[in-house]
């Protein structure tokens, strides 16, 4: 056991999606002395479950960075999902992990009907 040996491992996780962030949380809990680092190419965590923000002005110009405050009223902010829009949770362990973000309003239950893929 790493903890009994008194070692402090460095753990690298590639990908900041659901699996990567879940693994990082679990490893940090199981090995609190470990240095857990998540590497992801995106600007924010979330992977394929993330969203994107696009700014558009009246002339049709687009930008992905936030406009300066003095220009903010000239731009409309559009937010859209570019990956999975929902996921299904059946396992009780996974459901228990979802309780805090549900309570905080970070994620929401989808009230719609599920459709079978063909």
């Amino acid at each position: 056991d790493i903890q009994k040996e008194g070692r402090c491992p460095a753990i690298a996780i590639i990908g900041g999606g659901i699996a990567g962030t879940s693994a990082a949380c679990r490893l940090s809990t199981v090995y609190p002395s470990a240095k857990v680092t998540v590497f992801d190419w995106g600007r924010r965590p979330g992977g394929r479950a993330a969203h994107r923000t696009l700014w558009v002005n009246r002339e049709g110009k687009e930008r992905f960075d936030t406009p300066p405050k003095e220009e903010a009223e000239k731009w409309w902010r559009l937010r859209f999902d570019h990956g999975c829009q929902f996921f299904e949770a059946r396992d009780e362990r996974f459901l228990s992990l979802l309780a805090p973000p549900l309570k905080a309003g970070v994620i929401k239950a989808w009230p719609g009907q599920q459709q079978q893929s063909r």
Side-chain angles (χ1 to χ4, degrees), residues 36-80:
V36 179
T37 305
V38 177
F39 294 93
D40 192 89
W41 68 272
R43 292 181 180 175
R44 296 186 177 99
R48 293 185 182 187
H51 69 272
R52 175 108 25 197
T53 301
L54 174 69
W55 297 85
V56 181
N57 69 9
R58 291 182 181 153
E59 290 82 41
K61 293 182 181 177
E62 301 171 349
R63 63 187 300 164
F64 285 100
D65 61 323
T66 305
K69 287 184 181 182
E70 59 272 6
E71 296 180 28
E73 63 188 37
K74 298 177 185 177
W75 294 86
W76 293 290
R77 183 173 77 168
L78 307 173
R79 294 178 75 179
F80 57 93

Short mmCIF file of all heavy atoms in Angstrom, two decimals, residues 36-80:
data_model
loop_
_atom_site.label_atom_id
_atom_site.label_comp_id
_atom_site.label_asym_id
_atom_site.label_seq_id
_atom_site.Cartn_x
_atom_site.Cartn_y
_atom_site.Cartn_z
N VAL A 36 -2.42 14.65 -7.49
CA VAL A 36 -3.22 14.25 -8.64
C VAL A 36 -3.38 15.45 -9.57
O VAL A 36 -3.83 16.51 -9.15
CB VAL A 36 -4.61 13.71 -8.21
CG1 VAL A 36 -5.43 13.31 -9.43
CG2 VAL A 36 -4.46 12.54 -7.25
N THR A 37 -2.97 15.28 -10.83
CA THR A 37 -3.05 16.36 -11.81
C THR A 37 -3.85 15.87 -13.02
O THR A 37 -3.59 14.78 -13.54
CB THR A 37 -1.65 16.80 -12.28
OG1 THR A 37 -0.88 17.14 -11.13
CG2 THR A 37 -1.73 17.99 -13.21
N VAL A 38 -4.81 16.67 -13.45
CA VAL A 38 -5.62 16.35 -14.63
C VAL A 38 -5.12 17.21 -15.79
O VAL A 38 -5.03 18.43 -15.66
CB VAL A 38 -7.12 16.62 -14.38
CG1 VAL A 38 -7.93 16.34 -15.64
CG2 VAL A 38 -7.62 15.80 -13.21
N PHE A 39 -4.78 16.55 -16.89
CA PHE A 39 -4.34 17.25 -18.10
C PHE A 39 -5.45 17.17 -19.14
O PHE A 39 -5.97 16.09 -19.42
CB PHE A 39 -3.07 16.60 -18.66
CG PHE A 39 -1.88 16.74 -17.76
CD1 PHE A 39 -1.58 15.76 -16.83
CD2 PHE A 39 -1.07 17.86 -17.83
CE1 PHE A 39 -0.48 15.88 -15.99
CE2 PHE A 39 0.02 18.00 -17.00
CZ PHE A 39 0.32 17.00 -16.07
N ASP A 40 -5.81 18.31 -19.69
CA ASP A 40 -6.85 18.36 -20.71
C ASP A 40 -6.54 19.51 -21.64
O ASP A 40 -6.07 20.56 -21.21
CB ASP A 40 -8.23 18.54 -20.06
CG ASP A 40 -9.35 18.30 -21.05
OD1 ASP A 40 -9.77 17.13 -21.17
OD2 ASP A 40 -9.81 19.26 -21.69
N TRP A 41 -6.83 19.35 -22.92
CA TRP A 41 -6.54 20.41 -23.88
C TRP A 41 -7.59 21.51 -23.88
O TRP A 41 -7.37 22.60 -24.40
CB TRP A 41 -6.38 19.83 -25.29
CG TRP A 41 -7.66 19.29 -25.86
CD1 TRP A 41 -8.14 18.03 -25.71
CD2 TRP A 41 -8.62 19.99 -26.63
NE1 TRP A 41 -9.36 17.89 -26.34
CE2 TRP A 41 -9.68 19.10 -26.92
CE3 TRP A 41 -8.72 21.29 -27.10
CZ2 TRP A 41 -10.79 19.46 -27.66
CZ3 TRP A 41 -9.84 21.65 -27.83
CH2 TRP A 41 -10.84 20.74 -28.11
N GLY A 42 -8.75 21.25 -23.31
CA GLY A 42 -9.82 22.24 -23.30
C GLY A 42 -9.57 23.39 -22.35
O GLY A 42 -8.73 23.33 -21.46
N ARG A 43 -10.33 24.43 -22.50
CA ARG A 43 -10.22 25.59 -21.62
C ARG A 43 -10.81 25.31 -20.24
O ARG A 43 -10.43 25.92 -19.25
CB ARG A 43 -10.93 26.80 -22.22
CG ARG A 43 -10.27 27.32 -23.45
CD ARG A 43 -11.01 28.52 -23.98
NE ARG A 43 -10.36 29.00 -25.18
CZ ARG A 43 -10.82 29.97 -25.92
NH1 ARG A 43 -11.93 30.57 -25.60
NH2 ARG A 43 -10.17 30.34 -27.00
N ARG A 44 -11.79 24.41 -20.21
CA ARG A 44 -12.47 24.08 -18.96
C ARG A 44 -12.65 22.57 -18.89
O ARG A 44 -12.66 21.89 -19.91
CB ARG A 44 -13.85 24.74 -18.93
CG ARG A 44 -13.78 26.24 -18.91
CD ARG A 44 -15.19 26.82 -18.72
NE ARG A 44 -15.13 28.25 -18.64
CZ ARG A 44 -15.37 29.07 -19.65
NH1 ARG A 44 -15.70 28.60 -20.81
NH2 ARG A 44 -15.31 30.36 -19.48
N PRO A 45 -12.87 22.05 -17.68
CA PRO A 45 -13.15 20.61 -17.59
C PRO A 45 -14.53 20.29 -18.15
O PRO A 45 -15.35 21.18 -18.33
CB PRO A 45 -13.09 20.33 -16.09
CG PRO A 45 -13.35 21.64 -15.44
CD PRO A 45 -12.83 22.69 -16.39
N GLY A 46 -14.75 19.05 -18.41
CA GLY A 46 -16.06 18.63 -18.89
C GLY A 46 -16.00 17.72 -20.10
O GLY A 46 -16.91 16.95 -20.35
N GLY A 47 -14.91 17.83 -20.86
CA GLY A 47 -14.78 16.98 -22.04
C GLY A 47 -15.94 17.14 -22.99
O GLY A 47 -16.36 18.24 -23.33
N ARG A 48 -16.52 16.01 -23.39
CA ARG A 48 -17.62 16.03 -24.36
C ARG A 48 -18.94 16.48 -23.73
O ARG A 48 -19.93 16.62 -24.43
CB ARG A 48 -17.78 14.67 -24.99
CG ARG A 48 -16.59 14.34 -25.84
CD ARG A 48 -16.76 13.07 -26.57
NE ARG A 48 -15.53 12.84 -27.33
CZ ARG A 48 -15.38 11.89 -28.19
NH1 ARG A 48 -16.37 11.05 -28.42
NH2 ARG A 48 -14.26 11.74 -28.82
N ALA A 49 -18.94 16.70 -22.45
CA ALA A 49 -20.14 17.19 -21.77
C ALA A 49 -20.06 18.70 -21.54
O ALA A 49 -20.92 19.27 -20.88
CB ALA A 49 -20.34 16.47 -20.44
N ALA A 50 -19.04 19.35 -22.06
CA ALA A 50 -18.85 20.78 -21.84
C ALA A 50 -19.71 21.62 -22.78
O ALA A 50 -20.33 21.12 -23.70
CB ALA A 50 -17.37 21.14 -22.04
N HIS A 51 -19.74 22.91 -22.52
CA HIS A 51 -20.44 23.83 -23.41
C HIS A 51 -19.45 24.86 -23.95
O HIS A 51 -18.33 24.95 -23.47
CB HIS A 51 -21.60 24.52 -22.67
CG HIS A 51 -21.14 25.47 -21.64
ND1 HIS A 51 -20.87 25.09 -20.35
CD2 HIS A 51 -20.88 26.80 -21.69
CE1 HIS A 51 -20.46 26.14 -19.66
NE2 HIS A 51 -20.46 27.18 -20.44
N ARG A 52 -19.88 25.59 -24.91
CA ARG A 52 -19.04 26.61 -25.52
C ARG A 52 -19.81 27.93 -25.47
O ARG A 52 -21.02 27.96 -25.58
CB ARG A 52 -18.74 26.22 -26.96
CG ARG A 52 -18.00 27.22 -27.75
CD ARG A 52 -16.60 26.94 -28.09
NE ARG A 52 -16.25 25.53 -28.12
CZ ARG A 52 -15.01 25.12 -28.09
NH1 ARG A 52 -14.04 25.98 -28.00
NH2 ARG A 52 -14.72 23.85 -28.13
N THR A 53 -19.08 29.02 -25.32
CA THR A 53 -19.69 30.35 -25.35
C THR A 53 -19.16 31.09 -26.58
O THR A 53 -17.96 31.12 -26.82
CB THR A 53 -19.34 31.15 -24.07
OG1 THR A 53 -19.81 30.43 -22.94
CG2 THR A 53 -19.97 32.53 -24.09
N LEU A 54 -20.07 31.64 -27.33
CA LEU A 54 -19.73 32.41 -28.53
C LEU A 54 -20.36 33.79 -28.40
O LEU A 54 -21.50 33.92 -27.97
CB LEU A 54 -20.28 31.70 -29.78
CG LEU A 54 -20.14 32.42 -31.11
CD1 LEU A 54 -18.65 32.49 -31.52
CD2 LEU A 54 -20.93 31.70 -32.18
N TRP A 55 -19.61 34.82 -28.73
CA TRP A 55 -20.11 36.19 -28.70
C TRP A 55 -20.32 36.66 -30.14
O TRP A 55 -19.46 36.48 -30.99
CB TRP A 55 -19.11 37.10 -27.99
CG TRP A 55 -18.90 36.73 -26.56
CD1 TRP A 55 -18.05 35.79 -26.08
CD2 TRP A 55 -19.57 37.27 -25.43
NE1 TRP A 55 -18.15 35.72 -24.72
CE2 TRP A 55 -19.07 36.62 -24.29
CE3 TRP A 55 -20.56 38.25 -25.27
CZ2 TRP A 55 -19.52 36.91 -23.01
CZ3 TRP A 55 -20.99 38.54 -24.00
CH2 TRP A 55 -20.48 37.87 -22.89
N VAL A 56 -21.46 37.28 -30.41
CA VAL A 56 -21.81 37.75 -31.75
C VAL A 56 -22.28 39.20 -31.64
O VAL A 56 -23.04 39.55 -30.74
CB VAL A 56 -22.94 36.89 -32.37
CG1 VAL A 56 -23.27 37.37 -33.77
CG2 VAL A 56 -22.55 35.42 -32.39
N ASN A 57 -21.86 40.06 -32.60
CA ASN A 57 -22.36 41.44 -32.59
C ASN A 57 -23.31 41.66 -33.76
O ASN A 57 -23.58 40.76 -34.55
CB ASN A 57 -21.19 42.45 -32.59
CG ASN A 57 -20.43 42.47 -33.90
OD1 ASN A 57 -20.82 41.87 -34.89
ND2 ASN A 57 -19.31 43.18 -33.91
N ARG A 58 -23.84 42.86 -33.89
CA ARG A 58 -24.85 43.15 -34.93
C ARG A 58 -24.31 43.03 -36.35
O ARG A 58 -25.06 42.79 -37.28
CB ARG A 58 -25.41 44.56 -34.71
CG ARG A 58 -26.24 44.63 -33.48
CD ARG A 58 -26.84 45.99 -33.28
NE ARG A 58 -27.61 45.96 -32.05
CZ ARG A 58 -27.85 46.99 -31.30
NH1 ARG A 58 -27.40 48.17 -31.65
NH2 ARG A 58 -28.55 46.87 -30.20
N GLU A 59 -23.01 43.21 -36.50
CA GLU A 59 -22.41 43.09 -37.83
C GLU A 59 -22.14 41.63 -38.20
O GLU A 59 -21.65 41.34 -39.29
CB GLU A 59 -21.09 43.88 -37.90
CG GLU A 59 -21.28 45.39 -37.87
CD GLU A 59 -21.47 45.91 -36.45
OE1 GLU A 59 -20.76 45.42 -35.54
OE2 GLU A 59 -22.32 46.79 -36.26
N GLY A 60 -22.42 40.71 -37.30
CA GLY A 60 -22.19 39.30 -37.57
C GLY A 60 -20.80 38.80 -37.22
O GLY A 60 -20.44 37.67 -37.53
N LYS A 61 -20.00 39.66 -36.59
CA LYS A 61 -18.66 39.23 -36.18
C LYS A 61 -18.78 38.30 -34.96
O LYS A 61 -19.66 38.48 -34.13
CB LYS A 61 -17.78 40.43 -35.84
CG LYS A 61 -17.46 41.28 -37.04
CD LYS A 61 -16.56 42.43 -36.67
CE LYS A 61 -16.28 43.28 -37.88
NZ LYS A 61 -15.47 44.45 -37.53
N GLU A 62 -17.88 37.34 -34.90
CA GLU A 62 -17.90 36.36 -33.81
C GLU A 62 -16.59 36.39 -33.04
O GLU A 62 -15.54 36.70 -33.60
CB GLU A 62 -18.09 34.94 -34.38
CG GLU A 62 -19.36 34.78 -35.17
CD GLU A 62 -19.40 33.44 -35.87
OE1 GLU A 62 -18.38 32.72 -35.91
OE2 GLU A 62 -20.47 33.10 -36.40
N ARG A 63 -16.67 36.03 -31.77
CA ARG A 63 -15.47 35.90 -30.95
C ARG A 63 -15.77 34.89 -29.84
O ARG A 63 -16.90 34.77 -29.40
CB ARG A 63 -15.02 37.24 -30.40
CG ARG A 63 -16.01 37.90 -29.47
CD ARG A 63 -15.67 39.31 -29.05
NE ARG A 63 -14.42 39.39 -28.35
CZ ARG A 63 -13.75 40.53 -28.15
NH1 ARG A 63 -14.24 41.67 -28.62
NH2 ARG A 63 -12.62 40.54 -27.51
N PHE A 64 -14.73 34.19 -29.42
CA PHE A 64 -14.88 33.22 -28.34
C PHE A 64 -14.42 33.79 -27.00
O PHE A 64 -14.77 33.27 -25.95
CB PHE A 64 -14.13 31.92 -28.65
CG PHE A 64 -14.83 31.08 -29.68
CD1 PHE A 64 -14.42 31.09 -30.99
CD2 PHE A 64 -15.91 30.30 -29.33
CE1 PHE A 64 -15.07 30.32 -31.94
CE2 PHE A 64 -16.57 29.53 -30.27
CZ PHE A 64 -16.15 29.54 -31.57
N ASP A 65 -13.63 34.85 -27.02
CA ASP A 65 -13.19 35.45 -25.76
C ASP A 65 -14.22 36.49 -25.33
O ASP A 65 -14.98 37.03 -26.13
CB ASP A 65 -11.81 36.09 -25.92
CG ASP A 65 -11.79 37.21 -26.96
OD1 ASP A 65 -12.49 37.07 -27.98
OD2 ASP A 65 -11.09 38.20 -26.75
N THR A 66 -14.26 36.78 -24.05
CA THR A 66 -15.20 37.76 -23.50
C THR A 66 -14.81 39.16 -23.97
O THR A 66 -13.65 39.55 -23.82
CB THR A 66 -15.20 37.70 -21.96
OG1 THR A 66 -15.48 36.36 -21.57
CG2 THR A 66 -16.22 38.64 -21.37
N PRO A 67 -15.75 39.91 -24.52
CA PRO A 67 -15.41 41.28 -24.97
C PRO A 67 -15.11 42.18 -23.78
O PRO A 67 -15.56 41.93 -22.66
CB PRO A 67 -16.68 41.74 -25.70
CG PRO A 67 -17.77 40.86 -25.24
CD PRO A 67 -17.14 39.58 -24.78
N PRO A 68 -14.34 43.25 -24.02
CA PRO A 68 -14.06 44.20 -22.94
C PRO A 68 -15.34 44.80 -22.38
O PRO A 68 -16.35 44.92 -23.09
CB PRO A 68 -13.20 45.28 -23.63
CG PRO A 68 -12.72 44.67 -24.89
CD PRO A 68 -13.71 43.62 -25.27
N LYS A 69 -15.32 45.20 -21.12
CA LYS A 69 -16.52 45.73 -20.46
C LYS A 69 -17.13 46.90 -21.22
O LYS A 69 -18.35 47.02 -21.32
CB LYS A 69 -16.20 46.15 -19.03
CG LYS A 69 -16.00 45.00 -18.10
CD LYS A 69 -15.77 45.47 -16.68
CE LYS A 69 -15.54 44.28 -15.76
NZ LYS A 69 -15.36 44.69 -14.38
N GLU A 70 -16.28 47.77 -21.77
CA GLU A 70 -16.80 48.95 -22.47
C GLU A 70 -17.51 48.58 -23.78
O GLU A 70 -18.27 49.38 -24.32
CB GLU A 70 -15.70 49.99 -22.72
CG GLU A 70 -14.54 49.51 -23.54
CD GLU A 70 -13.43 48.85 -22.72
OE1 GLU A 70 -13.59 48.66 -21.51
OE2 GLU A 70 -12.40 48.53 -23.33
N GLU A 71 -17.29 47.36 -24.28
CA GLU A 71 -17.95 46.91 -25.51
C GLU A 71 -19.02 45.85 -25.26
O GLU A 71 -19.68 45.41 -26.20
CB GLU A 71 -16.91 46.31 -26.47
CG GLU A 71 -15.87 47.28 -26.97
CD GLU A 71 -14.91 46.59 -27.92
OE1 GLU A 71 -15.31 45.61 -28.58
OE2 GLU A 71 -13.75 47.02 -27.99
N ALA A 72 -19.19 45.46 -24.02
CA ALA A 72 -20.06 44.32 -23.70
C ALA A 72 -21.49 44.47 -24.22
O ALA A 72 -22.09 43.50 -24.67
CB ALA A 72 -20.07 44.08 -22.19
N GLU A 73 -22.04 45.68 -24.18
CA GLU A 73 -23.43 45.85 -24.61
C GLU A 73 -23.62 45.70 -26.12
O GLU A 73 -24.74 45.55 -26.59
CB GLU A 73 -23.96 47.21 -24.14
CG GLU A 73 -23.24 48.40 -24.76
CD GLU A 73 -23.67 49.71 -24.12
OE1 GLU A 73 -23.91 49.73 -22.91
OE2 GLU A 73 -23.78 50.69 -24.86
N LYS A 74 -22.54 45.67 -26.88
CA LYS A 74 -22.62 45.50 -28.33
C LYS A 74 -22.61 44.03 -28.74
O LYS A 74 -22.75 43.73 -29.92
CB LYS A 74 -21.45 46.21 -29.01
CG LYS A 74 -21.42 47.70 -28.78
CD LYS A 74 -20.18 48.30 -29.42
CE LYS A 74 -20.06 49.78 -29.09
NZ LYS A 74 -18.83 50.35 -29.64
N TRP A 75 -22.39 43.15 -27.78
CA TRP A 75 -22.25 41.73 -28.09
C TRP A 75 -23.33 40.91 -27.40
O TRP A 75 -23.72 41.18 -26.29
CB TRP A 75 -20.87 41.22 -27.63
CG TRP A 75 -19.74 41.83 -28.38
CD1 TRP A 75 -19.12 43.01 -28.10
CD2 TRP A 75 -19.10 41.32 -29.54
NE1 TRP A 75 -18.13 43.26 -29.01
CE2 TRP A 75 -18.09 42.23 -29.91
CE3 TRP A 75 -19.28 40.16 -30.30
CZ2 TRP A 75 -17.27 42.03 -31.01
CZ3 TRP A 75 -18.45 39.96 -31.39
CH2 TRP A 75 -17.46 40.88 -31.74
N TRP A 76 -23.79 39.85 -28.10
CA TRP A 76 -24.73 38.89 -27.51
C TRP A 76 -23.98 37.62 -27.18
O TRP A 76 -23.19 37.12 -27.99
CB TRP A 76 -25.86 38.55 -28.49
CG TRP A 76 -26.77 39.71 -28.76
CD1 TRP A 76 -27.66 40.27 -27.90
CD2 TRP A 76 -26.87 40.43 -29.97
NE1 TRP A 76 -28.32 41.31 -28.51
CE2 TRP A 76 -27.85 41.43 -29.80
CE3 TRP A 76 -26.24 40.34 -31.21
CZ2 TRP A 76 -28.21 42.31 -30.78
CZ3 TRP A 76 -26.59 41.23 -32.20
CH2 TRP A 76 -27.56 42.20 -31.98
N ARG A 77 -24.25 37.10 -26.03
CA ARG A 77 -23.59 35.86 -25.61
C ARG A 77 -24.47 34.66 -25.96
O ARG A 77 -25.64 34.61 -25.58
CB ARG A 77 -23.31 35.86 -24.11
CG ARG A 77 -22.56 34.62 -23.66
CD ARG A 77 -22.15 34.72 -22.24
NE ARG A 77 -23.31 34.46 -21.41
CZ ARG A 77 -23.25 34.24 -20.10
NH1 ARG A 77 -22.11 34.29 -19.48
NH2 ARG A 77 -24.34 34.01 -19.42
N LEU A 78 -23.91 33.71 -26.68
CA LEU A 78 -24.60 32.48 -27.02
C LEU A 78 -23.87 31.33 -26.35
O LEU A 78 -22.65 31.22 -26.45
CB LEU A 78 -24.61 32.27 -28.54
CG LEU A 78 -25.13 33.42 -29.39
CD1 LEU A 78 -24.90 33.12 -30.87
CD2 LEU A 78 -26.59 33.66 -29.12
N ARG A 79 -24.61 30.47 -25.69
CA ARG A 79 -24.00 29.29 -25.06
C ARG A 79 -24.65 28.06 -25.66
O ARG A 79 -25.87 28.00 -25.78
CB ARG A 79 -24.22 29.31 -23.55
CG ARG A 79 -23.48 30.46 -22.89
CD ARG A 79 -23.73 30.50 -21.43
NE ARG A 79 -22.96 29.43 -20.80
CZ ARG A 79 -22.95 29.20 -19.51
NH1 ARG A 79 -23.68 29.94 -18.70
NH2 ARG A 79 -22.24 28.24 -19.00
N PHE A 80 -23.84 27.10 -26.04
CA PHE A 80 -24.40 25.89 -26.63
C PHE A 80 -23.56 24.67 -26.25
O PHE A 80 -22.37 24.78 -25.98
CB PHE A 80 -24.51 26.01 -28.15
CG PHE A 80 -23.21 26.33 -28.84
CD1 PHE A 80 -22.42 25.31 -29.34
CD2 PHE A 80 -22.79 27.63 -29.00
CE1 PHE A 80 -21.23 25.59 -29.97
CE2 PHE A 80 -21.60 27.93 -29.64
CZ PHE A 80 -20.81 26.90 -30.13
#
